[in-house]
Amino acid sequence: MVGKRPPSPGFISNPFIKRRNLEWTLDSLSPSQPPTAADIESGSATVEDHLSHFKAHLSRHILTQSPLSISSYTSLYTENFGSSAGAHFVIHQHDHPIAGTHYDLRLQINETSSASWAIMYGVPGDPQSIRLNRNATETRIHCLWNHLIETASASTGSLLIWDTGTYSILPCQSKHAPTADPSSPTSSPDPSTSPTQQALLHAAFQSRKIRIRLHGSRLPDPYVLNLRLTKSEDVTGRVRSGKTPRKRRRRHAQAETQPETSGEDSEGDASEDVPSNTDAGTNTDDLPAMEREIREVEDEEVRRTNAYPGASNTIGSVHQRRWYLSLDRPACGFVEERVKNRSVWKLEDRTETKNKQSDNERLSYPFYVRGPDHERSVLTGRLGADILRDEGVDKFIQRPGWKPVLK
């Protein structure tokens, strides 16, 4: 029986193949670039671990020493994310090219989501201000990982973390409630049976009156706000939210940058402009038909639930309802005095230092939110312009007309 032929010592060169073609090699594929923060924020890209991604990203862009360190930023999020007892908050400064500058207050409502209010002039900090009340307009329910973001793009503007920390819900005080007897013993509640801050926020939200203390890294301590929703605004907001949105026509770029009118009249929050269309983003006219159809289905689901993909509206938030926000002066340590037949609020047993920051960069009363040209990130120390530069955005057109409330 004839055995198998042994293997050939080598292949015979093909005379019809050029020598230079025999020397070709396959280079290893270069690793793909990680998605930008703007891509993740818009939902066009995803990452497995948002905390690790943004921690690494922001660590590379720390401009100055700031009140909040990266390690504190990390532990703060870790302690609250995924917890039914979590009470994380963030205030984002959002310099939007269409909606204009506004400040987004976001409060954790469940393990993975947060309710959001857009406040045009930022949170109040002067107890003597003639515009102590601010409009706070409900926006979409966000994923909790949005609390980690600082980003920028030409279509959405710059987004920076103005302050972040935890919140606690305080009981609403009634003027008809009896005053507590200081001589009576106080009983401390059992932590195992007391409701969580999320549960307290849910109950206060349903009653349309929220009294909240923010434990941040920049805000004074204590800092307490009142949020209230009138019955008429509740009805108006629900009707407005139930309407079918009109298809927006493409506008000329110059029309998008018209200055908004923000009169400093005596009507206060009733005449205040409200940031609208804060969800505006990529122009869908330039997308392929299939991608455009997918986005239309997703947008319809977002409108129906008032929650972005991945977030859960467990609190019953309604888009574009207008709440009223004000500084709770007594809870912040102020006492009312009558001086020349007018009320003056002064800090009890403390001296007011106008617009001064302490050594740890914590604000003191009174303070004023001065806008994108002055306000820096509590984490990286960057201005909005610095974030635009770091993200490679050079075609952003800021909407003019925003003015800080300084009196």
Side-chain angles (χ1 to χ4, degrees), residues 38 41 93-98 150-160 280 384 387-388 391 393 396-398:
E41 195 270 339
Q93 176 186 273
H94 193 178
D95 190 12
H96 198 281
I98 299 175
E150 286 192 354
T151 185
S153 71
S155 60
T156 60
S158 63
L159 190 74
L160 65 78
I387 298 177
L388 288 166
E391 298 295 329
V393 179
F396 171 69
I397 301 176
Q398 185 182 49

Side-chain angles (χ1 to χ4, degrees), residues 191-268:
S192 60
T193 59
S194 58
T196 64
Q197 296 303 318
Q198 290 179 23
L200 293 173
L201 175 60
H202 188 279
F205 189 91
Q206 303 308 315
S207 69
R208 307 194 310 276
K209 294 180 181 179
I210 304 173
R211 189 163 173 255
I212 186 169
R213 179 173 178 177
L214 300 179
H215 310 272
S217 298
R218 165 171 284 158
L219 288 168
D221 187 25
Y223 186 78
V224 181
L225 292 172
N226 289 313
L227 273 162
R228 60 184 179 88
L229 175 68
T230 64
K231 288 184 178 180
S232 60
E233 288 292 348
D234 183 20
V235 173
T236 302
R238 291 180 184 276
V239 171
R240 186 188 304 118
S241 177
K243 289 182 179 179
T244 303
R246 294 177 299 175
K247 187 174 182 180
R248 296 188 182 92
R249 292 180 296 178
R250 298 181 65 181
R251 296 184 294 175
H252 194 273
Q254 186 176 1
E256 295 178 353
T257 59
Q258 292 297 320
E260 62 186 45
T261 57
S262 54
E264 295 284 338
D265 52 23
S266 59
E267 293 181 9

Side-chain angles (χ1 to χ4, degrees), residues 52-347:
S52 297
H53 179 88
F54 288 110
K55 175 185 175 183
H57 178 70
L58 296 179
S59 296
R60 295 192 295 268
H61 296 293
I62 294 179
L63 191 62
T64 61
Q65 185 177 1
S66 301
L68 184 67
S69 65
I70 290 291
S71 60
S72 299
Y73 158 89
T74 303
S75 60
L76 178 67
Y77 183 79
T78 304
E79 291 167 2
N80 291 277
F81 176 74
S83 171
S84 59
H88 198 282
F89 90 87
V90 70
I91 299 176
H92 270 129
Q93 176 186 273
H94 193 178
D95 190 12
H96 198 281
I98 299 175
T101 301
H102 59 276
Y103 292 79
D104 294 309
L105 170 63
R106 295 184 176 130
L107 307 175
Q108 183 176 0
I109 59 172
N110 54 47
E111 291 86 345
T112 60
S113 311
S114 62
S116 181
W117 288 263
I119 308 165
M120 183 174 181
Y121 297 108
V123 292
D126 183 0
Q128 317 296 346
S129 176
I130 61 174
R131 300 192 68 176
L132 194 66
N133 293 337
R134 308 287 165 86
N135 281 334
T137 306
E138 277 180 80
T139 60
R140 306 294 186 196
I141 298 294
H142 286 64
C143 293
L144 197 66
W145 56 259
N146 282 97
H147 291 205
L148 301 169
I149 288 181
E150 286 192 354
T151 185
S153 71
S155 60
T156 60
S158 63
L159 190 74
L160 65 78
I161 300 174
W162 190 83
D163 200 6
T164 187
T166 59
Y167 69 83
S168 54
I169 301 299
L170 305 180
C172 287
Q173 294 179 332
S174 172
K175 60 182 179 181
H176 303 293
T179 57
D181 184 2
S183 62
S184 61
T186 58
S187 58
S188 57
D190 184 3
S192 60
T193 59
S194 58
T196 64
Q197 296 303 318
Q198 290 179 23
L200 293 173
L201 175 60
H202 188 279
F205 189 91
Q206 303 308 315
S207 69
R208 307 194 310 276
K209 294 180 181 179
I210 304 173
R211 189 163 173 255
I212 186 169
R213 179 173 178 177
L214 300 179
H215 310 272
S217 298
R218 165 171 284 158
L219 288 168
D221 187 25
Y223 186 78
V224 181
L225 292 172
N226 289 313
L227 273 162
R228 60 184 179 88
L229 175 68
T230 64
K231 288 184 178 180
S232 60
E233 288 292 348
D234 183 20
V235 173
T236 302
R238 291 180 184 276
V239 171
R240 186 188 304 118
S241 177
K243 289 182 179 179
T244 303
R246 294 177 299 175
K247 187 174 182 180
R248 296 188 182 92
R249 292 180 296 178
R250 298 181 65 181
R251 296 184 294 175
H252 194 273
Q254 186 176 1
E256 295 178 353
T257 59
Q258 292 297 320
E260 62 186 45
T261 57
S262 54
E264 295 284 338
D265 52 23
S266 59
E267 293 181 9
D269 53 18
S271 64
E272 184 175 306
D273 290 329
V274 181
S276 60
N277 197 25
T278 57
D279 304 325
T282 307
N283 184 7
T284 58
D285 293 341
D286 300 329
L287 296 174
M290 180 63 72
E291 178 71 14
R292 189 162 59 246
E293 184 176 346
I294 292 173
R295 290 203 178 189
E296 287 175 356
V297 172
E298 290 178 345
D299 290 346
E300 180 61 32
E301 180 68 11
V302 168
R303 285 192 292 268
R304 187 182 67 82
T305 62
N306 193 36
Y308 286 121
S312 179
N313 187 359
T314 57
I315 202 170
S317 176
V318 177
H319 190 52
Q320 293 290 306
R321 274 194 311 191
R322 185 183 301 184
W323 294 61
Y324 297 104
L325 178 147
S326 61
L327 185 69
D328 191 326
R329 292 176 286 195
C332 291
F334 291 92
V335 293
E336 185 179 13
E337 297 181 2
R338 299 293 296 181
V339 178
K340 295 182 179 180
N341 293 326
R342 61 185 293 264
S343 294
V344 177
W345 291 84
K346 294 185 177 181
L347 282 173

